[in-house]
Structures are given as structure tokens and as C-alpha cells.
Amino acid sequence: MDGIRHPPRQLDQRTAYKNFFDSVKGKRQGRKVGPPRYKSKKDTRQSIRLNTNAFCLRSDGAVYVAKVGSLKVKWSRRLPAAPTSLTVTKDSCGRYFLSFVVDTEPDILPGLDDDVGIDLGLSAFAVLSDGSKIDSPRFLRRAEKKLKRLQRELSRKAKGSKNRAKARVKVARQHAKVADRRRDWHHKASTQIRDNQAVYVEDLAVSGLGRTRLAKSVHDAGWSAFVGMLEYKAALHGRTFAKVDRAFPSSQVCSACGLRDGPKALHVREWTCGECGTVHDRDHNAARNVLLEGRRIVAAGRVETQNASWSAGKTRTKVPAQRGEAGSPRKGQPTQAGIPGLLGQGARQVSTRVSAGSRGSTWSGLDAAV
């Protein structure tokens, strides 16, 4: 950087243009990145990020925001350290969320001997290599009847009218309920799977599957969000996480003898190996193959490749921030852990220092309504 402390919006603009030009020149891998699109007041999602000079935490648990005032908030958890930045977000259904960025250390859990391979699917959300299955809750399918009714009511309203705006909010609220239920379920499932020392999962082409006739079911499952949770929780707690390449034929190889028996149609859920005669459940066999391939990747020392997380096999590593939350670091200042006004009599206060240029993990600190 140039040594000047820029506002968050200027840093975001600089990053957006750099990603765009690097993508055009071929320096950036992955799909092409378009030019930055400026925010509009007509966007359903509004957000702003503030530095420490634009907000502060009150002793009574409220949050003061410059030019807005004190906000009465509902805290979802205790902050482990003083925040370095604040992101205020308004979603499409009118809810306000405050996300804090804090500098924390990874919470390393005791080591275990277990590892697991995961095969993601639609009939069952996930099949583990130990034979257990996690059923798909299908939150969108269960709410589809009410969503159809609300969408019909919205389509009957005149464009630009106040009644149409009210109907749009109702539809957005129903979609938000579905998304919240799915996110909560993903967190619980990923935390349960985290109780293994190593987790291996197949790198699925979700964007491609989302353009097929199974698009609604694919998006309802939310594989990408679930895998992202597995990845950052593995880094946070000192677990090994690796992705198996999507070209790996997990459904074609016998997990018992290693014979590649060729591709099989989707309706074939059980098959017999022509070499050793083992009868395989398609999903369980794929999960076992993912486990074996993941072990091979880690044993070969390829944990830093595209097939694995950079955090695999390491401890005390930087923790990636959760999706949908952003923030910026600040220069070194003495900080204090906890929420002002919410610390109990026996609560421990920790003093720490945020180094210049360091990145802290992101905490969704509270859910607030103004």
C-alpha cells in the first residue's frame, strides 16, 4: 500500500478494479471478472462498512454509529476481542445486521484418529465413508406452496405501486426464512462432521449443475455453502480439509479392489464389482473412494494444490472469514475482549494488540433492528 489510510469504499474500489484488470490480462485464475458495478438505491441489499472512527460500543450494549446515533441491538454472541471494523447490512426483507471483524487466534481442538470422506448428493444430502447418511431437508421444496401463492399475489400488483412493494417484501421474507433454516442446518451438520481429524470432499461443479434440469434441487441443497463451512471450521479448529478433484471417478472405481468399472447411469444405485464380486451402494462406495483419494493427496504433500485447502495439516493458521461478511484491519491499537455492558462480574477481559496489516476472522456479532 502507499502508507495512506484509505476509507473502506476506496479499498473496495481498488480491489475490484485490480481483479477486473488481472482477469482481462489473464493474471487471475478462475472465471472472468467483470468491471465494478456501483451501488444503487434500488438494490434490494444495501451495506456499508465503517472503520473504528465511525462507530463505538456503548457500556449499555448499544452500538453508536456516526450520523445515525445509538442502535439498540440484539447480540447473537459475545465478541472475543474489540472489533476493528463494522459492516451494516440491510437485506431484501428489511432486516438489519451488524457484522464485526475481530482479531482472534484459532481454537485448536485436541487431535483425533478419525477421518471421513463425504459424497454429496440429492437423494441423500451427504453419505459418509463410514456408511452413515444425512438426509436432505429440502427447505425450498417444503416452502414452495406458500412461495407460489405469494408470488402470484405479487404478479397481480401494479408495477410501481405501494401494494406491489408490500407484496415484494412478503416474498422476500419467505425466501429469507428458507435461507435462514438452510444456513442453520448447514452449521449444525458441518459442526457434527468437524468431529473428525480430517475431512475430504469432492469438488463439485455446482455452477454447471445449476444449469441442468436439477437446478432447483441443486440450489436447494446448498453444497457450496456447506463445503465453505467445513473449510473454515477445519482451519479454525486445526483439522485437515482437502478437496478431491471433480474429474476423479469416485462412482466408477471399486473401493475394495480398485477396479474401474466404467460410468453408470444415475438410476443405478447399487452395482456388483466384476473383479472381486463386492456389492456396492453407489453413494457409500463413492464416499470411500473420496476418503482414499483424500488420504493420498495429503500423504503426497499436495495440501497446497487446487485439490486441497491451504490449511490442511496445519495449526495456528489464518482463519478464512465466513461468506457474506467483510471487514478491514486497522493499525495497532490496544483492544479489549468482550461486549461493553454485557460482561459479567466474573467475565475475563483480555487485552491484545492488532498488528498493522493483519487479517482477523469475521464474526457476525449481532442482529439488530433500528
Side-chain angles (χ1 to χ4, degrees), residues 321-369:
Q322 302 182 35
R323 296 186 182 184
E325 301 172 354
S328 60
R330 66 173 178 177
K331 296 184 179 180
Q333 299 181 27
T335 57
Q336 191 177 44
I339 301 172
L342 299 183
L343 288 172
Q345 295 294 332
R348 182 172 61 94
Q349 296 185 355
V350 181
S351 295
T352 182
R353 182 172 294 275
V354 183
S355 59
S358 64
R359 283 195 174 274
S361 59
T362 305
W363 284 61
S364 179
L366 50 94
D367 177 5

Side-chain angles (χ1 to χ4, degrees), residues 279-291:
V279 180
H280 292 293
D281 177 82
R282 180 192 182 105
D283 298 330
H284 183 210
N285 177 72
R288 286 184 54 83
N289 285 327
V290 170
L291 172 64

Side-chain angles (χ1 to χ4, degrees), residues 17-38:
Y17 273 112
K18 183 180 184 302
N19 293 338
F20 169 63
F21 288 119
D22 288 348
S23 180
V24 172
K25 297 177 182 178
K27 296 181 181 179
R28 180 183 174 89
Q29 297 181 354
R31 60 173 61 182
K32 295 296 182 181
V33 177
R37 182 179 64 85
Y38 291 93

